[in-house]
Amino acid sequence: MLKNGANGCINLDLMRCLCAIAVSLGLTVSVVAQEAVKNDALWPERERLEHFLRKAKITDRKKIGTGITNPEKVTLEMDGIVMNAIYKKVDKKHDSWRNEVAAYQLDKLLGLGMVPPTVKRSIRGRKGCLQLWVTGTVMNEYEESFPDMDAWHQQVSVMWLFDDLIANIDRHLNNAMVSPGKRLMLIDNSKTFRIQKTLLNDLNGVGTGTHARFWGVEYDADRERYDTHYPPELIERLRTISKDDIKKALKKFVWGRNRGLVSDRLELILARIDSMGQAAYRRETAPPLGPPRSAH
Ligand SMILES: Nc1ncnc2c1ncn2[C@@H]1O[C@H](COP(=O)(O)OP(=O)(O)O)[C@@H](O)[C@H]1O
Ligand SMILES: [Mg+2]
């Protein structure tokens, strides 16, 4: 089912589109294709992508040349399918590839689909992680407008909430990307899971120019609080996940107090959401959570 695009990447949009056309014409589509259409909100290719990242042969490695952790862009190949990934091996106390995998695991637990698939992988004996290379534009270079600003604001709200949960001190405009389908993708989650007892964003973005730019405001002299709001199913999920769920998701990558504090911050987040009342759910027709429509 994974199609090899012109740039050597899969094109999920194309796959879904072909399946939808086939179904509407009454044609038989394979079970895999039907599943993919039905489970749209959960990044249906996740497991296959994770498997690919773990097992595919590495055919090329290049230093990216930007950023401070010296990541590399690698090319992977398996069964005639070629994809790219970013490889990180940095492993310091406050900056580690382990946090990248942990952030992905937590994104999965919450059903967000905002962190691209990321797995542990050693290359030539050096431990690190591989994250799927996605197309899109880093926010810093994004110049288009958003056709549905409210939907965009909801994604930014979720990003600030997620960053509060994982104690991310590094969500600047080069560490978030906009997919061709206008989905917000959260890359570079290595500086996270700190000993942080408070919510760094207080579920909002007040304070810096970076936050205003995320909200679509060029300059915010008054540093207003923004009107953040969340998909109801996310709030529900946050209320139901247990300490144990968090422990299971993070156990191989984050330890001790750093891990325990994730549950503490979740409690703070829920208290803030409660204090917002109905405003937390303001958007009536919330866009589904899930991956960028074009994850290639
Ligand atoms: N998964 C990804 N898909 C596409 N581009 C990426 C991805 N991850 C990182 N990049 C690009 O590489 C740059 C550097 O990667 P980043 O993870 O931010 O490293 P650093 O920790 O060194 O800042 C990013 O700003 C972005 O342009
Ligand atoms: Mg970065």
Side-chain angles (χ1 to χ4, degrees), residues 180-232:
K182 312 291 179 210
R183 299 302 306 238
L184 178 55
M185 292 179 290
L186 306 180
I187 58 165
D188 196 356
N189 301 298
S190 64
K191 297 189 186 74
T192 50
F193 299 101
R194 312 207 138 207
I195 301 284
Q196 177 72 36
K197 292 183 188 160
T198 55
L199 305 180
L200 286 162
N201 299 315
D202 193 23
L203 290 206
N204 208 286
V206 71
T208 70
T210 298
H211 282 87
R213 289 266 309 274
F214 268 117
W215 200 251
V217 178
E218 204 42 52
Y219 180 70
D220 184 0
D222 298 330
R223 302 195 162 175
E224 296 277 345
R225 281 194 73 86
Y226 300 116
D227 188 10
T228 49
H229 49 92
Y230 313 90

Side-chain angles (χ1 to χ4, degrees), residues 97-108:
W97 65 265
R98 294 166 203 277
N99 297 334
E100 299 271 6
V101 190
Y104 173 63
Q105 290 296 335
L106 210 48
D107 166 288
K108 266 206 312 192

Side-chain angles (χ1 to χ4, degrees), residues 165 197 199 203 238-239 241-243 246 260-274:
L165 187 65
K197 292 183 188 160
L199 305 180
L203 290 206
L238 290 168
R239 288 195 205 287
I241 56 173
S242 65
K243 279 190 182 173
I246 293 177
L261 280 169
V262 177
S263 304
D264 294 355
R265 290 192 299 268
L266 175 58
E267 277 178 29
L268 294 178
I269 287 172
L270 287 171
R272 278 285 295 128
I273 285 178
D274 286 344

Side-chain angles (χ1 to χ4, degrees), residues 2-4 7-10 48-49 52-53 56-57 59 74-78 81-85 132-133 295-296:
L2 299 177
K3 290 222 183 286
N4 222 351
N7 56 0
C9 301
I10 55 162
R48 265 165 282 182
L49 291 168
F52 184 91
L53 290 170
K57 189 174 167 206
T59 56
V74 304
T75 306
L76 299 126
E77 190 173 346
M78 189 165 69
I81 293 166
V82 177
M83 283 192 258
N84 292 116
L132 186 70
W133 190 266
H296 57 115

Side-chain angles (χ1 to χ4, degrees), residues 7-266:
N7 56 0
C9 301
I10 55 162
N11 188 333
L12 296 179
D13 269 354
L14 176 64
M15 184 186 78
R16 290 190 183 118
C17 182
L18 290 175
C19 293
I21 292 168
V23 170
S24 71
L25 292 176
L27 303 177
T28 311
V29 292
S30 76
V31 172
V32 177
Q34 284 174 349
E35 260 173 34
V37 174
K38 264 195 285 180
N39 296 330
D40 187 55
L42 292 173
W43 205 321
E45 298 291 333
R46 247 189 218 294
E47 281 181 16
R48 265 165 282 182
L49 291 168
E50 287 174 18
H51 178 74
F52 184 91
L53 290 170
R54 281 194 197 100
K55 299 288 175 199
K57 189 174 167 206
I58 291 164
T59 56
D60 194 28
R61 296 170 66 174
K62 282 192 186 73
K63 287 222 174 336
I64 289 178
T66 60
I68 50 167
T69 56
N70 285 321
E72 293 173 43
K73 184 173 180 179
V74 304
T75 306
L76 299 126
E77 190 173 346
M78 189 165 69
D79 301 333
I81 293 166
V82 177
M83 283 192 258
N84 292 116
I86 175 167
Y87 171 60
K88 275 194 190 175
K89 54 188 183 300
V90 62
D91 196 12
K92 298 181 190 156
K93 190 170 175 209
H94 293 304
D95 189 357
S96 171
W97 65 265
R98 294 166 203 277
N99 297 334
E100 299 271 6
V101 190
Y104 173 63
Q105 290 296 335
L106 210 48
D107 166 288
K108 266 206 312 192
L109 182 65
L110 298 179
L112 302 183
M114 295 173 101
V115 178
T118 311
V119 302
K120 175 182 170 184
R121 173 127 185 207
S122 299
I123 301 186
R124 290 180 187 269
R126 182 80 191 256
K127 280 186 194 159
C129 69
L130 283 181
Q131 179 178 86
L132 186 70
W133 190 266
V134 291
T135 51
T137 313
V138 285
M139 273 296 288
N140 208 21
E141 285 160 23
Y142 189 78
E143 285 175 350
E144 290 169 53
S145 56
F146 292 102
D148 183 344
M149 204 56 189
D150 208 33
W152 174 252
H153 283 164
Q154 184 155 287
Q155 294 190 78
V156 175
S157 304
V158 174
M159 175 184 80
W160 285 332
L161 182 152
F162 184 64
D163 284 341
D164 277 344
L165 187 65
I166 65 176
N168 186 2
I169 56 147
D170 200 30
R171 185 67 66 206
H172 55 70
L173 295 162
N174 282 317
N175 285 344
M177 293 176 71
V178 186
S179 82
K182 312 291 179 210
R183 299 302 306 238
L184 178 55
M185 292 179 290
L186 306 180
I187 58 165
D188 196 356
N189 301 298
S190 64
K191 297 189 186 74
T192 50
F193 299 101
R194 312 207 138 207
I195 301 284
Q196 177 72 36
K197 292 183 188 160
T198 55
L199 305 180
L200 286 162
N201 299 315
D202 193 23
L203 290 206
N204 208 286
V206 71
T208 70
T210 298
H211 282 87
R213 289 266 309 274
F214 268 117
W215 200 251
V217 178
E218 204 42 52
Y219 180 70
D220 184 0
D222 298 330
R223 302 195 162 175
E224 296 277 345
R225 281 194 73 86
Y226 300 116
D227 188 10
T228 49
H229 49 92
Y230 313 90
E233 67 269 27
L234 173 60
I235 297 180
E236 191 49 36
R237 187 86 188 113
L238 290 168
R239 288 195 205 287
T240 52
I241 56 173
S242 65
K243 279 190 182 173
D244 226 43
D245 295 331
I246 293 177
K247 187 173 166 193
K248 266 192 214 138
L250 303 183
K251 72 174 176 215
K252 292 189 196 141
F253 308 104
V254 183
W255 306 275
R257 196 152 167 243
N258 300 58
R259 190 170 68 210
L261 280 169
V262 177
S263 304
D264 294 355
R265 290 192 299 268
L266 175 58

